[in-house]
Amino acid sequence: MGGHGHAHDSVKIPSPDSYKIEDYPMAVKFQERLAKEGLKDPWLRNELWRLHPKFKTKGQRAMMLCFRGWKLGVPAFLITIGIEEFLRQGKKDQHGHDSHH
């Protein structure tokens, strides 16, 4: 697991010790709802990094994933279409459609 030398291996999730539940109102509300039911989530602090603004919301992360590469992909696509059309022009001139029926 992990350590394969891929670019995504450079992402470092900070230690859960660096986060406090009290700093995240959403986590405090969740903890209070659990307490009303007589429950406790011992792993809650480990998930707080997901709520940090630096890591964005789930929707923002999904949008980043979907649109990653568009800045290079769209121009590359348009250039490819332009080249194909240019090369196709030469073939159109050579192969006219004569209607000898």
Side-chain angles (χ1 to χ4, degrees), residues 4-99:
H4 299 291
H6 299 293
H8 66 272
D9 289 341
S10 63
V11 175
K12 301 230 184 310
I13 297 174
S15 167
D17 297 333
S18 62
Y19 293 100
K20 294 179 183 159
I21 293 172
E22 300 78 33
D23 294 340
Y24 298 90
M26 188 179 195
V28 171
K29 287 179 186 177
F30 180 72
Q31 193 175 37
E32 288 170 356
R33 281 189 287 153
L34 286 175
K36 285 180 186 178
E37 300 290 327
L39 302 170
K40 185 177 179 182
D41 184 354
W43 297 99
L44 182 60
R45 191 178 60 174
N46 294 348
E47 297 297 321
L48 289 177
W49 67 271
R50 295 177 191 268
L51 300 176
H52 194 280
K54 175 177 137 183
F55 293 102
K56 303 187 179 2
T57 65
K58 283 183 183 180
Q60 290 170 326
R61 288 193 305 263
M63 292 300 285
M64 279 180 17
L65 179 67
C66 290
F67 293 108
R68 184 178 291 157
W70 278 50
K71 288 179 185 177
L72 294 175
V74 169
F77 170 74
L78 294 174
I79 290 168
T80 301
I81 296 297
I83 290 170
E84 286 183 356
E85 288 298 316
F86 175 76
L87 294 175
R88 192 175 302 163
Q89 284 293 358
K91 290 182 181 180
K92 284 182 184 176
D93 293 341
Q94 293 173 3
H95 303 295
H97 292 286
D98 296 331
S99 53

